[in-house]
Amino acid sequence: MNKFYGTGVAIITPFQTDGSVDFPALEKLIENLIANGIDYLVSLGTTGESATLSALEKKDIWQFTAQTVAGRVPLVAGIGGNDTRAIIENIKNFDKQGFDAILSVSPYYNKPTQEGIYQHYKAVAAASDLPLILYNVPGRTGSNISAATTVRLAHEVDKIIAIKEASGNFEQFNQIMRDKPADFMLISGDDPVTLPMIALGAVGVISVIGNAIPQLFSDMVRLCLEEKWEAARNLHFKLIEFTRLMFVDGNPAGVKEALQFVGICENTLRLPLVPVNPQISNLIKEELQKLNA
């Protein structure tokens, strides 16, 4: 499963100004990411605004993405939710051609117990023909996958191969790294802490900012994995302000603003998300100019 080492990018969904999916811009984005060193792609995670896409739109986006990628890099589909039965049905109906794994966010809003989270993922994994990557993002879901639950799933469910960890809790990361099976992967789900997580033993990141600066960010991750820490730190420090700006007005508003400046797509989002405010927009433009100087 080392195909998920390095920099994965949770790709945005470009929209035209009328709100429809912009497939030419999606193709342009994918080609730019592959050409600039990204190791794998994640289609329709949170960054892809999956919550506001219809079932038909998701199907079309997955099919288009798989055809465009054409096996050049590994591809992951985001399929999650808070109704286990519905997720199982979605996975069974999913056309997995061209895809290598499924990323599934922990059930949100319901606030399940740790036993409920364990049973949820066990059932989802049993329904999937593809390997499963857990996704822990308590800031969005309202609940946390504990280190003990992650390790239990890693040891007991063969199809579960990794976790995208976005809790920001290094005590939790420590426990996962100490107790997990050797082949189970810890993946950073948070751009700002990717370097320290790799230093701890994470195999890489599923990134947001990589949409806009794929070469710079993938270079930083690659240097970390090669244990070239001084060079990696220099790039990490260089990217701190840009990374901060990407999330000031929410995700993917920041990165869509950056992608508009570099000519990939419009900064159109679907409500309830809206573009960044003018002040942040100007700061993003200035920071991009510095990075590209």
Side-chain angles (χ1 to χ4, degrees):
M1 287 293 110
N2 61 4
K3 64 176 67 176
F4 302 116
Y5 277 49
T7 305
V9 169
I11 52 180
I12 60 108
T13 299
F15 297 121
Q16 299 186 48
T17 52
D18 66 359
S20 60
V21 177
D22 188 343
F23 287 100
L26 179 56
E27 181 179 12
K28 191 174 184 180
L29 173 64
I30 291 168
E31 294 298 341
N32 188 60
L33 293 174
I34 293 174
N36 283 284
I38 292 304
D39 296 296
Y40 63 99
L41 298 174
V42 178
S43 177
L44 298 187
T46 307
T47 303
E49 296 178 71
S50 53
T52 61
L53 292 165
S54 70
L56 180 57
E57 285 174 324
K58 289 180 182 180
K59 181 180 178 181
D60 289 344
I61 290 168
W62 278 323
Q63 183 180 52
F64 181 86
T65 301
Q67 289 173 348
T68 303
V69 171
R72 289 175 290 169
V73 296
L75 189 55
V76 179
I79 304 178
N82 62 347
D83 179 347
T84 307
R85 289 186 301 176
I87 296 167
I88 288 171
E89 193 65 25
N90 289 339
I91 287 174
K92 287 180 176 178
N93 292 329
F94 172 63
D95 180 2
K96 65 181 184 293
Q97 186 173 353
F99 285 84
D100 299 273
I102 289 171
L103 175 71
S104 194
V105 68
S106 179
Y108 44 80
Y109 191 74
N110 308 41
K111 287 197 171 182
T113 64
Q114 293 303 307
E115 183 62 25
I117 292 171
Y118 171 82
Q119 294 295 343
H120 165 82
Y121 276 121
K122 186 177 178 182
V124 170
S128 176
D129 293 331
L130 294 174
L132 198 68
I133 300 171
L134 313 177
Y135 182 15
N136 187 36
V137 56
R140 286 186 179 272
T141 63
S143 68
N144 178 56
I145 309 175
S146 71
T149 299
T150 297
V151 170
R152 183 185 177 195
L153 286 163
H155 279 286
E156 295 181 11
V157 185
D158 290 341
K159 209 166 281 176
I160 294 176
I161 61 166
I163 183 166
K164 177 187 176 184
E165 250 291 353
S167 67
N169 185 335
F170 272 82
E171 181 179 356
Q172 190 155 295
F173 305 157
N174 285 335
Q175 293 171 13
I176 292 170
M177 287 304 302
R178 181 191 65 193
D179 299 333
K180 73 178 184 66
D183 59 350
F184 181 82
M185 297 175 290
L186 175 65
I187 299 171
S188 171
D190 233 346
D191 288 316
V193 297
T194 296
L195 184 148
M197 283 189 69
I198 295 176
L200 186 65
V203 301
V205 61
I206 294 175
S207 173
V208 173
I209 71 170
N211 279 282
I213 51 168
Q215 188 70 66
L216 280 172
F217 197 67
S218 61
D219 282 350
M220 192 275 290
V221 172
R222 205 165 288 115
L223 288 167
C224 289
L225 292 171
E226 293 170 358
E227 299 186 0
K228 296 177 179 176
W229 295 112
E230 184 176 359
R233 278 194 300 272
N234 289 339
L235 262 182
H236 169 76
F237 293 144
K238 184 177 181 179
L239 297 175
I240 283 176
E241 181 60 15
F242 179 77
T243 303
R244 184 189 73 82
L245 290 169
M246 289 300 92
F247 301 101
V248 170
D249 276 345
N251 177 40
V255 77
K256 279 195 167 182
E257 191 76 13
L259 285 166
Q260 178 178 245
F261 287 134
V262 297
I264 297 291
C265 66
E266 300 291 334
N267 68 337
T268 307
L269 297 97
R270 284 187 175 175
L271 287 170
L273 301 183
V274 295
V276 301
N277 71 67
Q279 180 184 7
I280 296 301
S281 175
N282 289 333
L283 291 172
I284 289 171
K285 186 176 183 179
E286 290 173 11
E287 199 61 29
L288 271 173
Q289 288 170 341
K290 290 180 190 175
L291 292 177
N292 293 325

